[in-house]
Amino acid sequence: MAQVQRMSRLMVKTLRDDPADAETLSHKLLVRAGYVRRNAAGIWTWLPLGKKVLDNISRVVREEMDAIGAQEVLLPALLPKEPYEASGRWEEYGDLLFRLKDRKGGDYLLGPTHEEVFTQTVKDQCTSYKDLPVMLYQIQTKYRDEARPRSGVLRGREFQMKDSYSFDTTDEGLAESYRLHREAYIKIFNRLGLDHRIVSAVSGAMGGSASEEFLAPAAAGEDTFADCPNCDYAANTEAVTFELKAVEETHPAAEDIATPDTPTIETLAAQLGVPASATLKNLLVKVDSEIVAVGVPGDREVDLGKLGEHLAPAVVELVTAEDFEGRDDLVRGYVGPQGLAKVRYIADPRVAPGTAWITGANKVDTHAKNVVAGRDFEVDDYLDVVVVEEGDPCPKCGTGLKLDRAIEIGHIFQLGRKYADTFGLDVLGQQGKPVRVTMGSYGIGVSRAVAALAEQSADDKGLCWTPEIAPADVHVVAAGKALQTELAVDVAEKLGAAGLRVLVDERPGVSPGVKFTDSELIGCPKILVAGRRAGDGVLELKDRRTGEREELTVDEAIARLTAK
Ligand code: ATP
Ligand code: MG
């Protein structure tokens, strides 16, 4: 079927200059090449070229989801409050949720993700173990009132997501549904041509593969991940663990030392002439209403997000001056774990049993040295709580980790029975008794993938799509003269008839320079130019990515472009 799009009739207005508000490459290029148009912060129109790319990605996603036996459905985006109230997310989502009222005053929301409604759907449709397992997906518009909807379609407030959900009666079944999704995602991202890494999203504590993210390395990414240059280890920085290893060393007895005016690690280290790493920093936090101390080496920062994950559902907050009232055991700036009998002490595994530290002596202007973990103080819980840094050892092979930026393009998650518990999702089991269903939830940022692909593949001339995703297979450019236009249109028709998707630039009165620049900016994988040698029936074929050029006759060009 011929698919020939004439540029003269295509609604596309390319821009020479970057939009003023654009920070990332994909944002600049997708606007400049006429793929998207901004309506409001994080709200975008997909123009004809952009819609084609978006649809191509959706098609690949659909094919691979169908291939694992997932069934496509379409749930509403406009949803009643009740299911989200039942799960607690009506409140938990806070400002991220778009809430609205209908004419009768009823509360509604625009769906940010659909676990609740899928659970209800399956509860309604599936009653017996024979109805399971089932995997359902949709490609749908999601709404999140993101705090920072920058970066164009990378982070929209309205965006396209493929979300799927698996329903099984056993943990093994869930593991299998998860595996199927993982495999499908790898195929999808490979077909899209997205360079990606699979990283564990949570630390080992929650059970290894229960949640993984698919990250596309890119400078514009908002996620940082740890990547081992030596082995296959890659993890979200929040999931990196440090091995707890006791050390066998003998240290002299702990002793207090006068350290006037040293309320910070920097002042202390400077006064004593030691590196900050020789000191033990004790951060006081409030866990729900209890004061807890967190010990980390003085040169490291506590990652409050990580700490929060470890202690959830308890809420972690920093202490305020009021919390010290009536607590003579807590001397601000001079806290040391050796004097904290009444306080729960959490430490990073770097504060291993046997290690010696300089730390607060629980007296103003005084520190203590040779304070040994396991001898002078006990650690109640060892938790990975420090901010991971470049060069930290790989938990798998010990090599120094690299930290890289990436875009989260997908997320797979073994949810378990959380939502099934909320909605009482049971099916009748083999023994005639009800069985609680276990679920998985799996997302792909379809619109975000457009931007991620643009980020990874663009060059200084513009966008540069892979064949599966490009708005057309070939962009035919007529340099300008009547003869050239005739040849360009003729070859375009023939390529279309041969089954290729063709964009042909036969715009009258547009200079060849502008047409060439536009063809590179728009980024179809092949550019075929009817130019200097059009009179001889010879065209120039250019590979958009490599820049390689060759002269071909019409027949040769068709043979070359239609060859599998
Ligand atoms: P992020 O940390 O980037 O906000 P998330 O963890 O909130 O992502 P999920 O809730 O797991 O994301 O959503 C599934 C997928 O949807 C993500 O992997 C991502 O690709 C995509 N996505 C999430 N938020 C947005 C957004 N605001 N704009 C575009 N795509 C998004
Ligand atoms: Mg988010």
Side-chain angles (χ1 to χ4, degrees):
M1 198 197 56
Q3 299 178 49
V4 180
Q5 172 67 56
R6 290 175 175 241
M7 279 284 277
S8 63
R9 297 196 201 132
L10 179 67
M11 190 178 77
V12 61
K13 191 170 85 185
T14 57
L15 306 172
R16 290 292 153 250
D17 297 316
D18 292 332
D21 59 339
E23 288 171 22
T24 59
L25 185 64
S26 57
H27 183 176
K28 291 174 189 166
L29 290 175
L30 289 169
V31 171
R32 278 185 45 207
Y35 280 65
V36 296
R37 175 181 179 274
R38 183 180 178 279
N39 297 76
I43 303 179
W44 292 86
T45 293
W46 292 87
L47 295 167
L49 288 174
K51 180 66 165 52
K52 282 192 169 37
V53 172
L54 190 64
D55 285 351
N56 287 339
I57 293 177
S58 301
R59 175 177 43 76
V60 171
V61 169
R62 276 200 176 90
E63 285 174 9
E64 297 301 339
M65 292 311 296
D66 291 346
I68 61 167
Q71 302 172 64
E72 184 168 6
V73 293
L74 185 58
L75 272 57
L78 176 62
L79 297 163
K81 166 174 87 165
E82 288 69 25
Y84 287 79
E85 203 161 44
S87 70
R89 293 210 286 190
W90 176 260
E91 291 294 332
E92 266 166 37
Y93 264 120
D95 289 340
L96 203 71
L97 202 61
F98 278 104
R99 300 175 179 81
L100 59 156
K101 287 201 186 289
D102 72 0
R103 62 170 74 205
K104 292 185 183 140
D107 286 311
Y108 289 78
L109 64 130
L110 297 175
T113 173
H114 281 70
E115 280 77 4
E116 287 83 349
V117 211
F118 271 87
T119 309
Q120 289 184 320
T121 305
V122 170
K123 185 175 157 90
D124 184 52
Q125 301 288 320
C126 302
T127 49
S128 154
Y129 72 94
K130 291 179 198 153
D131 298 331
L132 298 186
V134 72
M135 294 189 284
L136 302 172
Y137 77 97
Q138 62 177 350
I139 294 179
Q140 204 221 29
T141 308
K142 295 279 192 275
Y143 296 87
R144 295 181 185 178
D145 196 357
E146 299 276 1
R148 281 178 300 280
R150 297 164 303 179
S151 323
V153 298
L154 262 185
R155 182 173 297 283
R157 294 198 296 164
E158 176 183 282
F159 60 98
Q160 297 293 311
M161 195 203 289
K162 185 287 299 176
D163 48 327
S164 45
Y165 306 86
S166 64
F167 300 84
D168 283 274
T169 50
T170 62
D171 293 347
E172 297 72 42
L174 169 59
E176 177 61 8
S177 298
Y178 183 90
R179 191 190 65 78
L180 286 169
H181 270 88
R182 195 176 193 276
E183 295 300 310
Y185 276 34
I186 293 171
K187 284 194 186 144
I188 289 167
F189 295 128
N190 283 344
R191 279 181 66 184
L192 297 183
L194 259 177
D195 174 27
H196 65 275
R197 304 296 305 262
I198 305 173
V199 306
S200 45
V202 291
S203 59
M206 275 180 71
S209 67
S211 173
E212 287 168 299
E213 288 170 355
F214 286 72
L215 300 182
E222 292 178 11
D223 285 36
T224 305
F225 76 107
D227 201 6
C228 179
N230 180 52
C231 74
D232 64 356
Y233 179 83
N236 185 309
T237 47
E238 295 205 347
V240 175
T241 55
F242 186 86
E243 195 190 351
L244 176 66
K245 247 198 321 220
V247 297
E248 299 278 333
E249 281 171 21
T250 38
H251 299 281
E255 95 185 76
D256 286 2
I257 40 176
T259 51
D261 302 322
T262 54
T264 64
I265 294 289
E266 291 70 36
T267 51
L268 174 67
Q271 193 177 102
L272 298 180
V274 296
S277 58
T279 70
L280 175 63
K281 174 156 84 181
N282 303 289
L283 183 76
L284 296 176
V285 293
K286 244 183 346 187
V287 178
D288 287 341
S289 57
E290 180 198 352
I291 291 189
V292 170
V294 183
V296 301
D299 60 336
R300 305 299 299 239
E301 292 305 320
V302 173
D303 186 331
L304 287 174
K306 248 174 153 174
L307 183 64
E309 292 269 324
H310 283 301
L311 302 178
V315 177
V316 177
E317 288 170 299
L318 287 173
V319 289
T320 59
E322 285 130 56
D323 298 316
F324 285 88
E325 277 167 28
R327 292 294 301 256
D328 298 337
D329 59 330
L330 302 177
V331 185
R332 248 192 148 171
Y334 297 90
V335 172
Q338 69 283 23
L340 291 184
K342 285 184 281 177
V343 176
R344 176 174 169 200
Y345 194 65
I346 293 172
D348 184 77
R350 289 166 181 82
V351 189
T355 54
W357 303 91
I358 296 167
T359 191
N362 304 301
K363 287 177 231 165
V364 175
D365 290 345
T366 315
H367 282 83
K369 64 179 184 181
N370 296 315
V371 180
V372 176
R375 182 188 77 181
D376 301 315
F377 66 93
E378 291 302 325
V379 173
D380 296 306
D381 299 288
Y382 277 108
L383 298 176
D384 281 283
V385 291
V386 302
V387 175
V388 173
E389 289 174 10
E390 181 114 3
D392 277 351
C394 166
K396 234 169 144 176
C397 76
T399 307
L401 293 169
K402 269 180 73 223
L403 296 189
D404 285 322
R405 306 288 287 168
I407 298 164
E408 182 190 321
I409 45 172
H411 190 181
I412 53 178
F413 191 23
Q414 296 191 21
L415 276 176
R417 297 185 172 79
K418 177 173 181 234
Y419 291 92
D421 286 343
T422 301
F423 295 98
L425 172 58
D426 295 333
V427 291
L428 215 51
Q430 246 159 324
Q431 268 75 44
K433 288 204 197 89
V435 181
R436 182 103 331 158
V437 170
T438 181
M439 288 170 60
S441 131
Y442 319 87
I444 289 183
V446 172
S447 50
R448 176 177 287 186
V450 177
L453 273 162
E455 289 289 341
Q456 284 190 346
S457 60
D459 58 21
D460 54 355
K461 299 191 187 75
L463 298 164
C464 190
W465 304 107
T466 49
E468 281 244 37
I469 299 318
D473 297 307
V474 52
H475 189 142
V476 182
V477 177
K481 298 202 186 80
L483 184 80
Q484 294 163 333
T485 304
E486 223 167 273
L487 180 66
V489 171
D490 178 55
V491 77
E493 295 293 341
K494 286 179 174 147
L495 288 168
L500 293 186
R501 300 167 304 137
V502 188
L503 194 59
V504 53
D505 194 351
E506 31 58 285
R507 289 175 293 179
V510 176
S511 79
V514 167
K515 288 180 180 171
F516 296 141
T517 311
D518 278 352
S519 70
E520 290 185 313
L521 179 61
I522 287 171
C524 295
K526 300 284 180 190
I527 298 168
L528 187 62
V529 181
R532 238 172 356 97
R533 297 193 56 199
D536 311 329
V538 174
L539 302 135
E540 188 182 65
L541 181 64
K542 191 168 112 180
D543 186 285
R544 170 67 184 84
R545 184 173 301 280
T546 64
E548 267 170 60
R549 296 156 190 266
E550 54 183 332
E551 293 201 325
L552 301 167
T553 64
V554 172
D555 288 343
E556 284 168 347
I558 292 167
R560 180 67 47 87
L561 288 166
T562 54
K564 281 279 167 250

